[in-house]
Amino acid sequence: MDRILIRGGNRLQGRIFISGAKNAALTLMPCALLTDEPLTLRNLPRLADVDSFGHLLNQLGASTAIEGSRPEDFGRVMTIRAGRLTSTEAPYDIVRKMRASILVLGPLIGRAGEATVSLPGGCAIGNRPIDLHLKAMEAMGAEIELAAGYVKAVAPGGRLPGGRVSFPVVSVGATENALMAAVTARGGTVIENAAREPEIVDLCNCLVAMGASISGIGTETLEIEGRDRLHGATYAVMPDRIEAGSYACAAAITGGSVELAGAEANDMRATIAALVEAGVSVEEGKGSIKVSADGPLRPITLSTAPFPGFATDMQAQFMAMLCKADGASVLTETIFENRYMHVPELARMGADITVTGRSAVVRGVAGLVGAQVMATDLRASMSLIIAGLAAEGETQVSRVYHLDRGYERLEEKLSAVGADIERIGDG
Ligand code: EPZ
């Protein structure tokens, strides 16, 4: 398993190109299942999860051709052709490795009138059930049965009637599955308390480009008129707001100044507000954001929430940055029940963090010390990288396969702005 070695202390200076968003790519790719025409996605990030999703689509009978991308280009072009499905089953061995595989549920029902998907099981940050996904399918008329660790969903007569989906709590994935099942339903569907993340807007825009009828895009109430069929399209994946926010924290903790090329400030209002409150300067340019920190970082109080609130996917990265603030910060994680796996690892680097229930008090320390640490989940691993960039001495992060799921060419992007970082392959 690869490890990443960082010798901390360098101020990051320069430009980082932001890749296409992982969490948009993983919901745009299954859209191809909804039509027998090709869907071409541009600005697709080179990530392990994108590759895994491609393999899942292949198992269902879709082809995934990567086109015309030079090695030095960020972002790939992939054309997905699901002219004829050969399976409607997402097997356990794929779903257990990547829970986003559940996002084939809605499009398979929308295209083939049925889907059999392995229950994803939990992951490091929580047990992450899919009850809301299943309730949404039932609300649109699907018959659901659970057996032997799989869920089978069937649209009576081969096509969902549609209906009213009212989510008791906001769920990004369940909103995505509901949208992808509703766009080809026989009738109309209303989704209430829908997630409003920018990735949901990207999904809606892609579905509309494919001929879907969706109103209320970007709000918590979505109205969909089912279409008999959707057509192919070419669509560019939105920039990754979490990758951009992660590199902003890296620039800030090192007292550097980094331009995040391609970042979309409107997707990151809560992150930007928190950075500014922490004493970081943020300048919004045309198609980029410049983040600089020349003074001390200030402690802040943060609570994660669904969009437009502060993203749970940014919590670990802010925690790392705030380890160097002048005072005590309080972070509260309201979305997942176990998203503090990075705390003991940061403590090994000299951080002073106390977790009580859902909240963590981060007392700033004068300096962090490099150590051997272990990545446990995607965003936790990024928090260790961020801490390592500012730590004195050498930090070695193991199990970096977690990182490769969500950060394209991390060492390359950080080296380009002055970080002393390298990957050691263990074969
Ligand atoms: C998406 O996960 C993202 N993943 C996550 O990013 C992100 O943290 C999360 O949304 C919240 O923003 C992708 O888009 C691939 P949820 P998702 O359904 O859809 C509970 C990353 O680091 N819930 O909005 O799984 C759930 O347990 C990843 O990039 C149910 O109870 O998140 C959680 O507590 C991590 N029942 C809360 O809702 C359900 O059926 C929010 O989950 C579904 C969810």
Side-chain angles (χ1 to χ4, degrees), residues 118-131:
S118 166
L119 292 171
C123 77
I125 62 177
N127 72 7
R128 301 181 75 181
I130 60 165
D131 56 311

Side-chain angles (χ1 to χ4, degrees), residues 22-23 128-132 171-173 313 335 339 379:
K22 166 181 86 84
N23 290 348
R128 301 181 75 181
I130 60 165
D131 56 311
L132 299 175
S171 163
V172 170
D313 291 351
I335 307 290
R339 204 167 195 176
R379 306 306 174 183

Side-chain angles (χ1 to χ4, degrees), residues 15 20 23 37 87 93 130 179 210 225 246 278 289 338-339 361 391 396 415:
R15 174 183 297 168
N23 290 348
E37 297 180 14
S87 165
D93 67 323
I130 60 165
L179 270 163
M210 294 170 70
E225 272 313 307
S246 303
I289 300 173
N338 184 33
R339 204 167 195 176
V361 176
Q396 200 172 111
S415 303

Side-chain angles (χ1 to χ4, degrees), residues 36-192:
D36 58 4
E37 297 180 14
L39 172 66
T40 297
L41 295 175
R42 312 184 63 78
N43 197 34
L44 210 56
R46 283 177 174 75
L47 296 171
D49 274 8
V50 169
D51 295 342
S52 303
F53 213 105
H55 298 148
L56 172 56
L57 292 174
N58 297 154
Q59 289 230 16
L60 301 174
S63 68
T64 50
I66 301 284
E67 291 161 11
S69 56
R70 299 171 305 164
E72 65 274 21
D73 288 337
F74 285 113
R76 288 184 297 191
V77 178
M78 178 188 279
T79 293
I80 308 169
R81 290 178 175 82
R84 200 174 56 78
L85 298 182
T86 55
S87 165
T88 58
E89 176 171 323
Y92 174 66
D93 67 323
I94 290 186
V95 177
R96 73 180 173 81
K97 282 187 285 223
M98 184 182 63
R99 58 171 285 104
S101 311
I102 187 66
L103 294 175
V104 299
L105 175 68
L108 284 175
I109 296 181
R111 171 74 180 279
E114 63 166 47
T116 303
V117 181
S118 166
L119 292 171
C123 77
I125 62 177
N127 72 7
R128 301 181 75 181
I130 60 165
D131 56 311
L132 299 175
H133 298 243
L134 304 181
K135 287 197 183 83
M137 296 302 123
E138 284 178 320
M140 288 190 276
E143 288 163 4
I144 302 284
E145 62 176 83
L146 294 172
Y150 279 77
V151 58
K152 184 168 173 64
V154 177
R159 193 175 178 192
L160 289 179
R164 178 175 293 278
V165 178
S166 191
F167 286 118
V169 295
V170 170
S171 163
V172 170
T175 301
E176 291 165 344
N177 260 328
L179 270 163
M180 292 188 281
V183 288
T184 56
R186 192 187 316 283
T189 297
V190 177
I191 303 175
E192 294 171 334

Side-chain angles (χ1 to χ4, degrees), residues 1 11-12 43 166 180 184 209 221 229 287-289 306 313 330 347 351 362 378 380 384-385 413:
M1 281 188 273
R11 304 175 72 155
L12 301 189
N43 197 34
S166 191
M180 292 188 281
T184 56
T221 303
R229 60 189 305 280
S288 73
I289 300 173
D313 291 351
V330 181
V362 183
L378 171 56
L384 302 177
I385 298 288
K413 293 190 180 187

Side-chain angles (χ1 to χ4, degrees), residues 48 104 117 142 144 188 191 240 251 265 272 306 326 341 368 378 390 401 423:
V104 299
V117 181
I144 302 284
I191 303 175
D240 195 317
I272 290 170
D326 279 352
M341 307 275 279
L368 294 171
L378 171 56
Y401 56 85
R423 178 182 290 251

